[in-house]
Amino acid sequence: MVRIVGPGGTQSGFVVSPQGGSAIVVTLLAAVGSADQVSAVDVTGRTHTAQVFYRNRETGIAGAAIKDWTGPRVVDLDPRPLQAGEPIVVVGFDVSTGDLTYLLIRSAGGRQLDRPVAPGFAGGPVISVRDQRVLGMVASAQTVIPAAAVHLVIAASMAPTATPRAAVPASPPPAAQSTPHGLGGQEILIGAYPAGVTIVVDGKSAGQAPLRIPAIRYGPGSHKITGSAPGRLTVARVVSLPVQDSLDVFLPPAPSAVPASPRGRDLLAKLQTALEEANGAQALAHAQELLTESPVIPEIRIYQAVALWQQRNWTEALAAVRGHIDVYGETTRSVDAYVLLGILHEERQRFQDALTGYKLAAKVQPEYAREFQQPVVATETAVQTLARQVAKNPLDLPARIRLGLMYEAKGRFKEGMSEFKAVLYAAPTAPSPAAAATLQQVLTIRTFPSQASVYVGERLLGPSPAVLSGPPPEELQVRVSMLGYADMRRIIRPRGRSDILIVLLPTLEGYGRTRFAIDHMREGLRGYASGDWATATQHLVEAFDSDYTLIKLRIYIGTGYYTQGRLSESIEILKAYINAKDNDSTALLAYALLGVIHEEQSRSQEALTLYKLALKLHPAMSAVIGLPPATTDPEITALQESARRAPDDPRVHYRLGVVMEQKGRFLEGMLAFRRALFSLSTM
């Protein structure tokens, strides 16, 4: 046994390589972090330097080599699974005392222990009492990584070429899978409805569902999993890891009607924020008020159900879903409700009821009507033939429906449920043309500085922040104009957003020393005004290359890169400007634009910091920067009420942002700082 001390914390590990004088230590990935070297403390207290040579995020384990090892090592790894009731010994280091400890316990079967172990045991070996073979290693309080995974480290140590230190990514699962083939409770499949949902775990992007995450990477305890997608409300779930082999993220549709009253719109905004923050109790309260204030929103009962689901109140959530179905019947307007019905039943292990919910969600969709009209021939040969067809082409959704019906007929409800669920999770949902015509969206176009003239097409919408309502457009041609600032024309695809953010740039009048640079800057600004951002950016790059004293052009070039979707280049050049001109007043433009970029990437905490830094450079904020923050509940409540009464007062929103940041509520803090910044009418 060794104790691994690295940037990721302290964990147990054990020596498994039988080769030579060196040793191979297996430990949890969390202990080694991203370091190339870690410290390994043996049972005598001697510290060794261990060279990390292997990481595998899919299994959650790491390998490190120790030279000149003379201590004991494990030779006999037993690949068989744990048997229920089998007596085993778990060995580990107590991280608080550094002492070697052990625990006699029993297996619950599979990869589970029959009761939790103390945190100090993580990373230690699990040894069979019967024949003293190592069956695996402890991954968390009650789960085990099998010995078969440990063999990966040994294989990597024997490879003829060096194993890359980079993490081995988990390949996304095919749509056919409902549970991963990984490490039981250690590898979790996140499924999401509808297709195309982006997943964020604890504020960091994890990728697009379906995806697998090793629970070990995040550690035991509560974690926030957030899903977002165009045309859908962002929803978060707080789950305690480890969980079952899979969990679901469900995103309800954006409201297809807008409340007529200001109070109704305010309640809807609060409801959306509460769902995004996984505050189910608050979301439910707002949904119930909204049902009275603006009963015209068809999706309100689904929002209620999601809020109850966030609180793990399945019984009342099911009642809310059925309330929606009672109103809209077996029609396409009930697809989302049926999907949520299936999820709620599945989480309670009621697979036949879950199958019914998922099946009805597919059945009411016209494109699948033919599959439900065909007779079901559920012979074993037919089932096997169709299962092979689906395995060969997982996106053959009609075949999946027929296979699901066969499984249902044979009483294999869990397998049938998985097939119908795969159909719904793989196919993006879209409203029918008739329903799409009735959808309404409220879109606010905000600029910094505010009060710029906003045009949509050739129609003057008004000074920013300007509000546009109506059917959600595929794209908008937006032009902003303000005295002293360069005109901008952009093609914007809202993709379900409620706010569009535009940072204005001052004119370059009188800037530049050579005719070449001046001419190219002029052409660049013409490109900004006409919407030809690629040509405009190229002209500005050429002007800057001709005269590196024109450092302000970095902001303009960064804006051009951002508008073209070249985000990494935009971030790099904007950071370069900040490094050179951190205290310059125009640096706040770079901070503001970086904040917008990070917000669009769902990096709320980083966007919060950038908006805050921009505000600190603005002279109008000097009166509130440095004021003692609100700390008591009455003070915070009063501040929130002031922000509601004065939605365009940047000082109030700045102070509210400080409070939210201190409370760790980064999304709310970011929105408050952004509201403050985009309310300022001057630079």
Side-chain angles (χ1 to χ4, degrees), residues 85-355:
E86 181 178 9
I88 52 181
V89 173
V90 179
V91 185
F93 268 98
D94 186 325
V95 295
S96 61
T97 65
D99 295 330
L100 186 66
T101 57
Y102 69 92
L103 176 69
L104 183 62
I105 198 170
R106 289 184 180 274
S107 164
R111 299 184 179 110
Q112 298 291 314
L113 304 176
D114 69 349
R115 67 179 189 272
V117 299
F121 285 98
V126 175
I127 303 170
S128 169
V129 172
R130 187 177 301 119
D131 52 18
Q132 287 75 54
R133 293 188 174 192
V134 174
L135 304 175
M137 64 187 291
V138 182
S140 65
Q142 215 166 340
T143 54
V144 176
I145 294 176
V150 178
H151 273 294
L152 294 173
V153 182
I154 300 175
S157 72
M158 298 176 180
T161 57
T163 303
R165 292 193 180 97
V168 179
S171 57
Q177 285 185 281
S178 61
T179 57
H181 300 296
L183 300 173
Q186 286 309 303
E187 188 180 49
I188 301 167
L189 172 65
I190 299 181
Y193 173 85
V197 173
T198 299
I199 300 297
V200 174
V201 182
D202 294 337
K204 295 184 179 180
S205 177
Q208 195 171 83
L211 55 86
R212 297 189 185 108
I213 63 168
I216 310 163
R217 183 192 309 171
Y218 301 98
S222 296
H223 297 273
K224 183 177 174 183
I225 298 177
T226 305
S228 59
R232 296 273 160 170
L233 299 191
T234 299
V235 173
R237 296 188 67 184
V238 175
V239 299
S240 294
L241 299 182
V243 296
Q244 297 297 322
D245 285 351
S246 64
L247 61 88
D248 292 289
V249 174
F250 172 86
L251 304 187
S256 55
V258 178
S261 68
R263 182 172 182 272
R265 292 193 292 272
D266 183 54
L267 285 170
L268 179 59
K270 290 178 181 177
L271 167 62
Q272 292 172 301
T273 300
L275 291 175
E276 188 169 346
E277 288 298 299
N279 190 339
Q282 197 72 49
L284 181 61
H286 294 319
Q288 289 171 335
E289 286 188 73
L290 196 57
L291 188 60
T292 303
E293 175 72 25
S294 299
V296 297
I297 299 177
E299 299 81 9
I300 190 63
R301 289 179 179 82
I302 297 178
Y303 300 161
Q304 287 179 309
V306 173
L308 289 160
W309 177 50
Q310 287 179 323
Q311 300 174 74
R312 302 177 64 81
N313 188 339
W314 289 279
T315 301
E316 291 189 37
L318 284 166
V321 170
R322 293 188 184 107
H324 178 96
I325 295 169
D326 287 344
V327 174
Y328 296 102
E330 292 188 13
T331 67
T332 53
R333 302 188 76 173
S334 292
V335 170
D336 297 284
Y338 281 131
V339 172
L340 186 53
L341 190 73
I343 291 172
L344 293 168
H345 282 308
E346 183 182 354
E347 290 192 353
R348 301 177 78 186
Q349 306 290 300
R350 294 165 58 175
F351 299 123
Q352 185 174 3
D353 292 331
L355 180 152

Side-chain angles (χ1 to χ4, degrees), residues 432-504:
S432 65
T438 66
L439 292 177
Q440 297 289 310
Q441 180 183 30
V442 176
L443 190 64
T444 303
I445 301 172
R446 304 181 188 274
T447 65
F448 172 74
S450 67
Q451 302 302 307
S453 297
V454 177
Y455 296 81
V456 174
E458 298 305 318
R459 177 168 68 96
L460 175 63
L461 198 59
S464 63
V467 177
L468 180 69
S469 60
E474 287 294 323
E475 64 179 31
L476 289 174
Q477 187 180 86
V478 176
R479 179 167 66 90
V480 292
S481 178
M482 189 174 187
L483 185 64
Y485 292 83
D487 281 6
M488 287 189 184
R489 187 185 296 270
R490 289 179 56 187
I491 301 295
I492 297 173
R493 292 173 177 83
R495 295 191 296 271
R497 289 187 288 172
S498 59
D499 284 344
I500 291 174
L501 308 174
I502 299 174
V503 178
L504 300 177

Side-chain angles (χ1 to χ4, degrees), residues 521-536:
M521 286 190 289
R522 183 178 293 117
E523 290 302 315
L525 294 185
R526 285 176 181 166
Y528 277 23
S530 66
D532 186 356
W533 287 86
T535 302

Side-chain angles (χ1 to χ4, degrees), residues 431-622:
S432 65
T438 66
L439 292 177
Q440 297 289 310
Q441 180 183 30
V442 176
L443 190 64
T444 303
I445 301 172
R446 304 181 188 274
T447 65
F448 172 74
S450 67
Q451 302 302 307
S453 297
V454 177
Y455 296 81
V456 174
E458 298 305 318
R459 177 168 68 96
L460 175 63
L461 198 59
S464 63
V467 177
L468 180 69
S469 60
E474 287 294 323
E475 64 179 31
L476 289 174
Q477 187 180 86
V478 176
R479 179 167 66 90
V480 292
S481 178
M482 189 174 187
L483 185 64
Y485 292 83
D487 281 6
M488 287 189 184
R489 187 185 296 270
R490 289 179 56 187
I491 301 295
I492 297 173
R493 292 173 177 83
R495 295 191 296 271
R497 289 187 288 172
S498 59
D499 284 344
I500 291 174
L501 308 174
I502 299 174
V503 178
L504 300 177
L505 302 177
T507 61
L508 295 171
E509 194 68 35
Y511 197 55
R513 299 181 300 178
T514 67
R515 175 52 54 186
F516 179 89
I518 292 170
D519 287 346
H520 277 280
M521 286 190 289
R522 183 178 293 117
E523 290 302 315
L525 294 185
R526 285 176 181 166
Y528 277 23
S530 66
D532 186 356
W533 287 86
T535 302
T537 306
Q538 184 59 40
H539 278 297
L540 293 170
V541 168
E542 291 177 9
F544 182 62
D545 287 343
S546 74
D547 186 352
Y548 283 94
T549 67
L550 302 175
I551 190 169
K552 189 162 62 176
L553 290 185
R554 283 176 168 164
I555 303 179
Y556 292 77
I557 296 168
T559 302
Y561 286 154
Y562 157 66
T563 307
Q564 296 172 69
R566 298 161 63 179
L567 300 187
S568 59
E569 294 168 275
S570 177
I571 291 171
E572 181 180 356
I573 198 166
L574 290 169
K575 285 183 175 178
Y577 181 82
I578 289 171
N579 290 336
K581 294 284 187 178
D582 188 31
N583 294 319
D584 190 280
S585 61
T586 54
L588 72 88
L589 294 172
Y591 280 124
L593 186 57
L594 281 170
V596 171
I597 295 171
H598 282 76
E599 181 180 346
E600 289 187 4
Q601 294 178 317
S602 299
R603 298 167 65 181
S604 302
Q605 189 170 356
E606 292 89 342
L608 178 154
T609 301
L610 291 160
Y611 289 144
K612 183 179 179 181
L613 290 170
L615 287 164
K616 284 187 172 182
L617 290 175
H618 199 287
M621 305 307 297
S622 59

Side-chain angles (χ1 to χ4, degrees), residues 7-30:
T10 300
Q11 298 281 11
S12 300
F14 57 103
V15 177
V16 295
S17 174
Q19 288 189 332
S22 63
I24 303 302
V25 179
V26 180
T27 188
L28 296 185
L29 196 65

